[in-house]
Amino acid sequence: MTYGNVKLRNSPGAATVVVSVVCLQWATACSDADAPQNLSRSSREYQENLVSRVSPVQPTILDEHQAVIKPTQTGTMAKPSWENAGDGNEQASPSPPGEVTQFDVEQQVRRQLRYNPAALSVLAEQLVPAGIADAVRPDAIHPVAPQSVTTGWSAPYSWSNGVDDRVDLSSATGWHLNTIGRLWGVGGCTATFFGRRLAITAAHCIVDSAGNYVAGVFIPAVKGASWPYSIQNVVGAWWGGQYIAKCTNGAPGYWSDCVPEDWALILLEDNFPLGHPGWMGFAWLGESDIQSWNKSSIGYPGCFENNSPANCQQEHRYGQFYGCTFGQFLYPRNGFNNGFTHGCDNGPGHSGSGIFTTGLGSFHIFGVDTNQRCTTCTIAEEPNSSVRLNPALDKRLDSFIFNLMVNLRAVYP
């Protein structure tokens, strides 16, 4: 990735396009004199300055109505309610371009929105050179504060070739690990910061099988009874615009329709009394990069399943020390493959985990864990070796979601 004349991914393949940009604030191509002094990149002031010269894209409200917030559910599975898996070769049905569902927790209003994709793209071309999609590490590690803890999990378990290679990474070094945390909504899930107040997860983690929004709380970097960055209430959310219609309330729930819609961006309250862990970057990657670059996915499993990690520690994050394999692309829509499979071992609680890469020089999320194609994935259970070796199913970030994430970073610096 280069700045000044910035390369932006603009196709499902590996092609790039060079876009000329102006000097925005303290983009790499600008003079150091343009950079604000003595500000941490993870501070609100720095992020406000980053977007001060642009106007975020405002959506059109297609529908708006009052909606009940269901209480947070702990100790339960946040399993997708859709059942019709198919064989993985189905085309995703058409979806209105730019359509998103939003929930405003303060006003208890659910809205159906439509964004102008072209306008979002223009904004991204302005802000990506300034670093809006880059990873941001914290300036300091804050002391761990003991708190109470609850337990739970989500989604079926999934081990590549029936072998669980996950290890406890709660004490592993690497600042980026602290950007991952436990999300409680429709049971236990995982979410990852991609901005100061924004995190990414799966839609089925915050929307129940009846299509109701479920109140959420996010605990970054939780380790057992320790909450080093306290707990954040979820105060807003955006997710796939067709998710409720196609995947809840007894809808057929075809995976080819639901996987493309099973993503969610959550807004957290602006209150970080113990500091901020920083956040990962995010990227819209070409297929060859996804296939070839290192891939990792880390989440918070539950410890009360038959197939939880060995010696599972409650509310600890788990993953593999090394990168995992790529399987195949699935669910094409308008020439773009919305889903892909991989061999990162996971289990109940990993739903919503971001899959990330270091291929761009830091940590960038390019997909989100949504479902699994087999459980323990042994030969006896799943004779198809390609499914058995790469059972995890992720929603791939597309150009619209990428540009929407940029826009939300501008609205909520």
Side-chain angles (χ1 to χ4, degrees):
M1 179 180 289
T2 59
Y3 293 143
N5 283 331
V6 62
K7 291 185 176 181
L8 297 175
R9 301 285 170 183
N10 75 324
S11 76
T16 59
V17 60
V18 176
V19 181
S20 296
V21 297
V22 297
C23 177
L24 280 175
Q25 292 294 94
W26 50 95
T28 303
C30 303
S31 166
D32 289 339
D34 294 318
Q37 300 300 308
N38 302 318
L39 285 180
S40 163
R41 287 193 67 195
S42 61
S43 69
R44 177 170 59 188
E45 293 81 3
Y46 190 103
Q47 294 302 313
E48 286 175 341
N49 284 330
L50 181 65
V51 300
S52 63
R53 299 183 186 180
V54 301
S55 297
V57 177
Q58 299 298 322
T60 299
I61 299 175
L62 304 178
D63 180 62
E64 179 179 276
H65 62 273
Q66 297 295 127
V68 175
I69 299 178
K70 295 293 182 179
T72 303
Q73 301 170 16
T74 59
T76 59
M77 281 191 174
K79 182 180 178 181
S81 59
W82 15 286
E83 300 292 342
N84 294 316
D87 61 9
N89 296 313
E90 301 83 6
Q91 292 269 337
S93 62
S95 183
E99 198 160 304
V100 173
T101 304
Q102 179 209 20
F103 198 97
D104 185 317
V105 172
E106 182 178 0
Q107 298 183 24
Q108 297 193 33
V109 170
R110 193 174 83 194
R111 302 182 180 97
Q112 197 71 6
L113 307 177
R114 179 172 294 146
Y115 285 88
N116 183 327
L120 290 178
S121 181
V122 169
L123 183 71
E125 289 174 3
Q126 292 177 298
L127 288 178
V128 167
I132 199 74
D134 290 351
V136 171
R137 63 184 302 159
D139 288 336
I141 302 299
H142 296 269
V144 172
Q147 304 283 349
S148 61
V149 68
T150 51
T151 60
W153 46 85
S154 66
Y157 42 84
S158 175
W159 301 349
S160 174
N161 211 26
V163 178
D164 188 1
D165 293 319
R166 289 173 295 172
V167 295
D168 187 343
L169 296 175
S170 292
S171 298
T173 57
W175 67 269
H176 66 289
L177 297 174
N178 289 332
T179 69
I180 304 166
R182 167 68 81 200
L183 174 69
W184 289 106
V186 186
C189 280
T190 300
T192 309
F193 275 115
F194 71 89
R196 197 179 64 86
R197 296 182 59 193
L198 295 159
I200 187 167
T201 189
H204 75 261
C205 292
I206 58 172
V207 180
D208 68 17
S209 60
N212 298 306
Y213 173 80
V214 180
V217 293
F218 182 51
I219 314 172
V222 58
K223 180 182 179 182
S226 296
W227 297 356
Y229 297 97
S230 190
I231 183 171
Q232 301 296 119
N233 289 317
V234 179
V235 298
W238 299 257
W239 62 87
Q242 297 298 302
Y243 183 80
I244 290 177
K246 294 181 177 180
C247 312
T248 67
N249 290 303
Y254 297 108
W255 284 21
S256 56
D257 289 336
C258 294
V259 171
E261 305 293 334
D262 192 20
W263 56 272
L265 312 175
I266 57 175
L267 176 68
L268 305 171
E269 59 185 329
D270 196 355
N271 178 30
F272 300 93
L274 300 178
H276 200 291
W279 54 87
M280 290 201 200
F282 51 97
W284 169 30
L285 297 185
E287 292 187 357
S288 63
D289 293 335
I290 293 176
Q291 291 172 311
S292 60
W293 286 353
N294 180 273
K295 294 168 281 292
S296 297
S297 183
I298 297 167
Y300 280 85
C303 293
F304 302 99
E305 291 282 302
N306 292 332
N307 293 279
S308 59
N311 303 312
C312 186
Q313 297 295 304
Q314 184 175 311
E315 297 300 271
H316 281 215
R317 60 180 174 242
Y318 282 79
Q320 295 169 225
F321 267 126
Y322 305 103
C324 49
T325 57
F326 172 81
Q328 65 183 126
F329 290 105
L330 302 170
Y331 312 132
R333 176 190 287 166
N334 299 326
F336 180 86
N337 289 310
N338 280 271
F340 62 93
T341 61
H342 60 81
C344 292
D345 295 338
N346 58 39
H350 287 256
S351 282
S353 300
I355 186 167
F356 59 93
T357 181
T358 55
L360 290 169
S362 187
F363 304 98
H364 287 78
I365 302 163
F366 63 91
V368 61
D369 186 69
T370 178
N371 212 336
Q372 286 79 38
R373 301 177 73 195
C374 57
T375 53
T376 49
C377 305
T378 60
I379 294 176
E381 181 193 8
E382 177 51 67
N384 185 325
S385 61
S386 63
V387 172
R388 192 169 65 249
L389 291 171
N390 296 287
L393 177 59
D394 277 34
K395 161 59 184 165
R396 178 186 174 195
L397 297 190
D398 56 30
S399 61
F400 172 74
I401 298 173
F402 175 88
N403 292 337
L404 178 62
M405 292 167 77
V406 169
N407 193 65
L408 292 179
R409 292 272 278 104
V411 177
Y412 302 101

